Amino acid sequence: MDIQAAGVESVTLTDILSLATWQRERSSEELQDFINTRHDALANVDIE
């Protein structure tokens, strides 16, 4: 059952598993890659 609330992005298990642990700081490159990936995903979403 796929339910999406306004303003909430869906994520996959791959998205979650690719995140670094909270045990360490993220590098600027890691953060920028994550932001770029999310922007690309949002750019491919059809807005109704």
Side-chain angles (χ1 to χ4, degrees), residues 11-27:
V11 295
T12 64
L13 183 56
T14 303
D15 292 332
I16 295 168
L17 294 176
S18 68
L19 294 174
T21 67
W22 293 109
Q23 304 291 322
R24 65 175 181 80
E25 292 184 27
R26 283 353 143 246
S27 68

Side-chain angles (χ1 to χ4, degrees), residues 31-45:
L31 294 173
Q32 191 61 55
D33 286 346
F34 178 78
I35 292 167
N36 292 341
T37 300
R38 298 313 301 159
H39 277 254
D40 290 344
L42 290 173
N44 293 325
V45 173

